[in-house]
Amino acid sequence: LFDTAGNALEEFVAHDYLDLNVSRDIEFGQKNPVMVSNATTRSYKAYVSEVVFVDRSVWTTDGENWEPLSKPSLLVFDDPELQRQYEIKFGRGSIYEPKSEKDLWHCTCGALNRDGEVCHVCHNTLLALQTVDMSALEKEKDARLAEEARVAAERETKAAEELAARKAATKEAQKKTAKFLKIAIPAVCAVIAIVLLITKVLIPNKQYNDAVALLNAGNVIEAYEALIAMEGYKDSAEKADSIHYEYNIEKMKNAKVGDYVVFGTYEQDNNASNGTENIEWIVLQIKDGKALVISRYGLDSQRYHTNRTDITWETCSLRKWLNDNFINSAFSDKERTIIPTVTVAADKNTKYDTDPGKATQDQVFLLSHPEVKRYFRSDVARQCTPTVYAVARGVYENGGGCNWWLRSPGCDPDTAGHVDYDGDISFLGGETGNFVDGDSLAVRPVLWINLDAIDTIVP
């Protein structure tokens, strides 16, 4: 023990941790207070004096000096594409310099391993990391960039050829049409006049009257769709706009699993001047008069937690953001009344036994590992497109897709589960997740909607 000035006090405190059952990379002791009797104590130095293992063998310090391990240093690449190539070779999240320390070694993914073993997280070896041929990596990068440029050029060439073909076809069709009209116009003028009268006046007028009749009869869905199909005849656009909210409500009341529904608004086109846009949701489940929905698109970029630390869904900053900032900005006071608070299970990672924390009471949450497998049965179904706003906020987009958070933990307490841009839950050989302070993942909120009370929010 040490006092305010850092002087050693003439005493120490012994503390036993009994009956531990701790797997690799798991910390312990945070919830076990160590009582210090000397009131002048302001700091301390800790060391392990003895360990008794499950086989009853005993290890003692024998006077060895205990020192903390150094923190791994970040890799520095002048060329971001070379950094990307390094991560392609050794796995996403390979951002640290590999190095040996005592009888351990720090991996490029941040994991700590014993001498002679393959990294238990990313499965790289220290030898492979320390002997990487940078010139070969440069060549791999150049080859990748050349291939990407070739594919892009090929895509542009194909698009240009298709456009030229369409223009040529259109020009030829116009020539034929002009020739035909030059001959046929005198004979068909009267017919055209009659057709125009029927198609532009009589039929639209009947359709308009039918739509108004449907609206007066309370058939909002059919009336709205009929008005929209009329392409602005009379005041059809204004009438459709006036019942748009009720139309969305009626669609939601009649929704089935797999349908898209509209509920709430959020900035999505990154143009604040035109207001927020309607949020589209995918219906995952209908149960007891309620619908479980997930946003169709990645709506925002948020960290699972503000800093890298051991964390669970129960205490992470993303849970607080969803149930405070997001819900209050995306929904009106009336709309929030039909989003029930539900018990959200502390589902584990389906591969690793990482502590998921405790169940929570939330209005808005994320899917867990078991849930994302249950509701999305394929990689294609799990793929998600981010909004323009989400990309502007920092979501990394790859081929039109993005990575998005799950609430279950990853393989370590400082990681959280996620789905890759290609829809694969697996990452680095298993469902290991992403560091909780990752800032390039999208958020797909999940919530229940009380369909039985939905009429109460109609203006």
Side-chain angles (χ1 to χ4, degrees):
L1 305 178
F2 301 91
D3 62 16
T4 303
N7 299 315
L9 301 173
E10 296 298 323
E11 57 185 289
F12 67 90
V13 175
H15 185 80
D16 293 334
Y17 293 96
L18 303 177
D19 304 321
L20 291 177
N21 183 13
V22 181
S23 57
R24 175 184 279 202
D25 298 332
I26 301 300
E27 295 181 353
F28 62 90
Q30 299 96 321
K31 298 182 180 180
N32 301 97
V34 178
M35 307 308 296
V36 177
S37 59
N38 193 321
T40 64
T41 301
R42 291 296 180 271
S43 62
Y44 66 89
K45 181 178 180 181
Y47 67 93
V48 178
S49 60
E50 182 180 87
V51 180
V52 181
F53 294 95
V54 70
D55 63 359
R56 297 187 181 181
S57 60
V58 179
W59 175 92
T60 59
T61 58
D62 291 332
E64 293 183 13
N65 186 32
W66 276 70
E67 297 177 354
L69 292 170
S70 62
K71 293 185 178 180
S73 302
L74 289 173
L75 283 168
V76 179
F77 288 88
D78 294 331
D79 182 358
E81 288 296 340
L82 190 61
Q83 166 74 46
R84 184 181 173 198
Q85 193 65 40
Y86 186 86
E87 292 195 51
I88 290 173
K89 186 176 185 67
F90 294 111
R92 195 176 307 143
S94 300
I95 59 175
Y96 299 104
E97 291 184 5
K99 67 173 182 178
S100 297
E101 186 170 6
K102 299 185 178 179
D103 59 344
L104 305 170
W105 67 277
H106 296 270
C107 183
T108 187
C109 71
L112 194 62
N113 306 281
R114 300 184 182 92
D115 273 348
E117 72 175 357
V118 172
C119 177
H120 68 284
V121 173
C122 69
H123 310 301
N124 285 309
T125 65
L126 179 60
L127 179 62
L129 295 170
Q130 289 182 330
T131 59
V132 59
D133 187 339
M134 296 306 294
S135 62
L137 196 66
E138 281 278 2
K139 291 179 181 179
E140 292 171 10
K141 177 205 74 174
D142 293 340
R144 173 177 57 80
L145 292 176
E147 176 63 14
E148 290 176 355
R150 185 194 66 77
V151 171
E154 188 178 87
R155 189 182 298 115
E156 290 179 5
T157 300
K158 184 177 180 181
E161 291 173 348
E162 291 176 350
L163 178 60
R166 287 197 299 270
K167 285 183 177 180
T170 301
K171 189 174 182 179
E172 183 63 25
Q174 288 172 343
K175 285 182 180 180
K176 291 181 179 179
T177 301
K179 183 177 180 181
F180 171 79
L181 291 177
K182 188 175 182 180
I183 299 171
I185 283 176
V188 299
C189 284
V191 176
I192 291 174
I194 294 171
V195 170
L196 288 174
L197 176 64
I198 294 172
T199 59
K200 298 297 183 181
V201 179
L202 298 180
I203 292 177
N205 195 57
K206 182 180 185 305
Q207 291 174 334
Y208 178 83
N209 291 334
D210 289 345
V212 172
L214 287 169
L215 183 58
N216 292 335
N219 297 326
V220 176
I221 294 179
E222 295 179 44
Y224 178 84
E225 293 175 350
L227 290 167
I228 288 294
M230 298 189 67
E231 298 183 355
Y233 182 77
K234 291 186 177 181
D235 62 345
S236 58
E238 290 79 3
K239 284 187 180 297
D241 187 62
S242 69
I243 61 171
H244 184 232
Y245 192 86
E246 294 176 63
Y247 167 77
N248 288 332
I249 294 298
E250 289 298 316
K251 289 282 286 185
M252 202 181 309
K253 287 163 62 175
N254 294 279
K256 302 182 294 295
V257 172
D259 285 353
Y260 296 122
V261 297
V262 172
F263 183 50
T265 64
Y266 201 69
E267 182 57 48
Q268 295 174 65
D269 64 359
N270 202 35
N271 181 8
S273 64
N274 63 5
T276 54
E277 287 71 44
N278 291 328
I279 305 174
E280 285 190 79
W281 305 85
I282 304 172
V283 179
L284 301 177
Q285 184 180 359
I286 303 290
K287 181 180 181 181
D288 299 331
K290 298 180 181 65
L292 179 66
V293 298
I294 184 173
S295 67
R296 180 177 182 179
Y297 303 106
L299 295 181
D300 209 326
S301 172
Q302 292 288 327
R303 300 172 190 264
Y304 190 87
H305 195 61
T306 51
N307 59 289
R308 188 177 301 180
T309 187
D310 294 357
I311 202 77
T312 64
W313 169 251
E314 179 189 5
T315 53
C316 73
S317 60
L318 181 51
R319 176 182 171 231
K320 184 178 186 302
W321 179 84
L322 284 169
N323 287 277
D324 187 357
N325 303 66
F326 174 76
I327 195 172
N328 288 317
S329 63
F331 305 104
S332 66
D333 292 343
K334 282 187 176 181
E335 288 171 336
R336 287 196 295 274
T337 63
I338 67 168
I339 304 175
T341 298
V342 297
T343 299
V344 178
D347 289 339
K348 290 185 176 181
N349 181 305
T350 55
K351 185 171 182 178
Y352 295 92
D353 196 29
T354 318
D355 179 17
K358 299 177 182 177
T360 56
Q361 295 290 312
D362 300 320
Q363 285 182 281
V364 190
F365 48 99
L366 304 178
L367 291 182
S368 65
H369 263 123
E371 289 168 349
V372 78
K373 288 185 172 182
R374 182 164 71 248
Y375 294 123
F376 297 102
R377 297 300 181 90
S378 68
D379 288 353
V380 172
R382 285 188 288 268
Q383 291 174 7
C384 175
T385 301
T387 64
V388 176
Y389 174 74
V391 173
R393 292 266 295 157
V395 169
Y396 175 71
E397 187 176 17
N398 190 328
C402 63
N403 298 350
W404 49 284
W405 288 114
L406 301 173
R407 73 172 187 272
S408 297
C411 67
D412 297 312
D414 61 352
T415 64
H418 77 279
V419 176
D420 279 344
Y421 66 90
D422 58 2
D424 189 358
I425 305 175
S426 298
F427 176 51
L428 296 179
E431 294 142 10
T432 61
N434 198 86
F435 288 120
V436 295
D437 61 345
D439 58 1
S440 63
L441 280 77
V443 180
R444 297 183 73 180
V446 179
L447 51 89
W448 286 91
I449 301 173
N450 187 353
L451 301 180
D452 292 339
I454 204 164
D455 287 330
T456 64
I457 68 172
V458 178

